[in-house]
Amino acid sequence: MDPLKLPVYPPLNVVEQLIVHEKRGNIVPVFVELPADLITPCMAYLRMAKDSKYSFLLESVVSGEGIAQYSFIGADPFKVIKTGPGQEYTGDPIAILQKELALYQYVKIPEVPTFSGGAIGYVAYDCIQYFEPKTARRLNDPLGIPEATFLLVDTLVIYDHLHQTIKAVSHVFSPKNTATPNLAFVYQTAVSKARRLAKSLMSRLTPEPPQAPVIPGGDGVSNVGKEGYEAFVTTLKKHIVAGDIIQAVPSQRIARPCNIHPFNIYRQLRQVNPSRYMFYLDCGEIQVVGASPETLCKVSQNVVYNHAIAGTTKRGKSAEEDETLGAALLASEKDRAEHIMLVDLARNDVNRVCDPKTVTVDRLMKLEKFSHVIHLTSQVTGTLRPGLTRFDAFRSIFPAGTVSGAPKIKAVEIVSELEKERRGVYAGAVGRFDFAGDEMDTCIAIRTMTVKDGTVYLQAGGGIVYDSVEEEEYVETLNKLKGNMRALDAGRK
């Protein structure tokens, strides 16, 4: 198959009609398509990213069981935005991204019904200080990473698992609705980029990530230890008794030396902990590797989705034991109370930016099974009010109540003063912000690892309520880390 002879969709005359004559917008996707039966998403990523400093792979498993329809793979962004102390940009990263994406008026076409380009990246938990200034505190910064990183891409791969096809997509961008002759040149440039991408995918060689001999390491070191974490729980229970908060979510971070290539860690993680949001982001100086079960804020055609997870138990050794453990979780007064509080918080967050008449709890306290745990989950949705955008929805919901507490702002303040350190990516957001102004999909950065300078950082927390038991809460954080720990252990073999 010659990539230079692959047909291109849509043709130039259709793009001209959309941009020049109908003036629907200024950016249109164009693509070539090839079969995916001999290429996996990981193979596609390795072929595309072999000489790139920045790259990404986004995958998904629905409800912990079925593969979602699309994976997204990209490298060589046309622009990288990094924010925070010492970076080119400072301040609210969402305001910076919103200004950047305002340049694009995306034209949707039926042949590309999903994400085709925009920004992929993370927003650190600590960015709450820009959305809610009351929460700002002077905190230690042991990781020293950007507060946010966005990879802006206009050329990427859409891997369609359902139809077993790959679309190599680029875009025709005409910022000033330029004349037809110039548009033809831009169109041919986009076609060339899509065909080059297809050619790289059709390579017979798949480069392996460079991997030195794996050095055995220990279990890692906690930044607070068992005694410190249990002290967090005790202190927070006192705040609950005093009426300061109803619930709060402290965490502990494990630092584990590791010389496994970060993409090899991801390859293990996607096998041992398949999740709704699986991602590998190579952000240059750091890599973000995750398998998160929980939506933070998704917007699709201006409908806002928020997914609440609260209440956790371990998986059983058989289907019967799973059923017994799940029934016990559903019957637990503590877990039900914690979950209902966080669903109420999610409804409040969504209601702040949506028409109240449209805000509904679509799913309440459903049991969902994942590789190592069973969760209680709920989903809240609403339609954005006129004049508000996906960025307003993101700010309203960030950070999720399930990683902060209730009332949210007070809980964030108290936990920050206890932890005394920036959380970094953990409990923030990872995901995509589309060229299409009414679309985005972000998850909560839990079950997520940050890799920097030969060390893997893992972090987990849990919701503390009045009747929480210190040791049980500590053990819950370890259970939540098991999938990531297992991936690291498997990578050493």
Side-chain angles (χ1 to χ4, degrees), residues 252-319:
Q252 65 165 326
R253 180 190 298 118
I254 307 292
R256 186 167 170 174
C258 180
N259 76 326
I260 304 170
H261 189 282
F263 191 70
N264 287 337
I265 296 174
Y266 175 75
R267 292 165 70 186
Q268 296 295 332
L269 183 63
R270 69 195 293 274
Q271 293 181 46
V272 303
N273 194 23
S275 298
R276 180 177 282 106
Y277 294 88
M278 296 184 293
F279 47 87
Y280 179 77
L281 308 181
D282 190 341
C283 301
E285 70 272 28
I286 68 166
Q287 292 74 41
V288 182
V289 182
S292 172
E294 191 166 1
T295 302
L296 172 69
C297 182
K298 177 180 178 180
V299 178
S300 181
Q301 297 181 357
N302 285 327
V303 175
V304 177
Y305 297 82
N306 180 240
H307 189 223
I309 291 181
T312 306
T313 189
K314 65 179 181 179
R315 288 293 302 267
K317 295 180 180 178
S318 65

Side-chain angles (χ1 to χ4, degrees), residues 199-427:
K199 183 178 180 181
S200 71
L201 294 173
M202 294 167 65
S203 169
R204 294 184 179 182
L205 297 176
T206 302
E208 287 281 332
Q211 180 63 67
V214 176
I215 301 170
D219 294 330
V221 178
S222 170
N223 64 333
V224 296
K226 182 175 187 291
E227 183 177 338
Y229 190 82
E230 292 182 358
F232 287 171
V233 177
T234 301
T235 301
L236 290 170
K237 287 167 67 176
K238 291 177 180 176
H239 280 286
I240 293 168
V241 171
D244 300 326
I245 50 174
I246 304 169
Q247 181 186 81
V249 186
S251 67
Q252 65 165 326
R253 180 190 298 118
I254 307 292
R256 186 167 170 174
C258 180
N259 76 326
I260 304 170
H261 189 282
F263 191 70
N264 287 337
I265 296 174
Y266 175 75
R267 292 165 70 186
Q268 296 295 332
L269 183 63
R270 69 195 293 274
Q271 293 181 46
V272 303
N273 194 23
S275 298
R276 180 177 282 106
Y277 294 88
M278 296 184 293
F279 47 87
Y280 179 77
L281 308 181
D282 190 341
C283 301
E285 70 272 28
I286 68 166
Q287 292 74 41
V288 182
V289 182
S292 172
E294 191 166 1
T295 302
L296 172 69
C297 182
K298 177 180 178 180
V299 178
S300 181
Q301 297 181 357
N302 285 327
V303 175
V304 177
Y305 297 82
N306 180 240
H307 189 223
I309 291 181
T312 306
T313 189
K314 65 179 181 179
R315 288 293 302 267
K317 295 180 180 178
S318 65
E320 292 76 14
E321 189 178 359
D322 265 353
E323 187 173 341
T324 300
L325 290 167
L329 180 60
L330 272 173
S332 166
E333 289 188 11
K334 171 195 175 286
D335 287 300
R336 290 176 69 88
E338 177 185 341
H339 191 91
I340 290 297
M341 277 190 281
L342 292 172
V343 170
D344 280 343
L345 181 57
R347 289 176 61 210
N348 290 338
D349 288 344
V350 172
N351 201 61
R352 288 166 64 186
V353 292
C354 291
D355 178 351
K357 294 178 182 178
T358 67
V359 176
T360 59
V361 180
D362 303 318
R363 190 173 63 243
L364 181 64
M365 285 196 283
K366 177 187 174 184
L367 286 174
E368 285 194 44
K369 298 173 184 175
F370 296 87
S371 61
H372 293 77
V373 295
I374 302 172
H375 286 306
L376 282 179
T377 72
S378 295
Q379 179 174 282
V380 179
T381 62
T383 301
L384 278 171
R385 294 201 297 270
L388 297 183
T389 70
R390 55 184 171 165
F391 300 106
D392 297 306
F394 183 91
R395 289 188 184 95
S396 180
I397 294 170
F398 185 95
T402 51
V403 290
S404 53
K408 184 188 289 187
I409 305 307
K410 188 64 175 177
V412 168
E413 292 176 303
I414 292 171
V415 170
S416 293
E417 290 164 7
L418 283 177
E419 292 183 348
K420 295 182 170 59
E421 291 184 351
R422 287 181 169 232
R423 286 183 168 184
V425 179
Y426 168 73

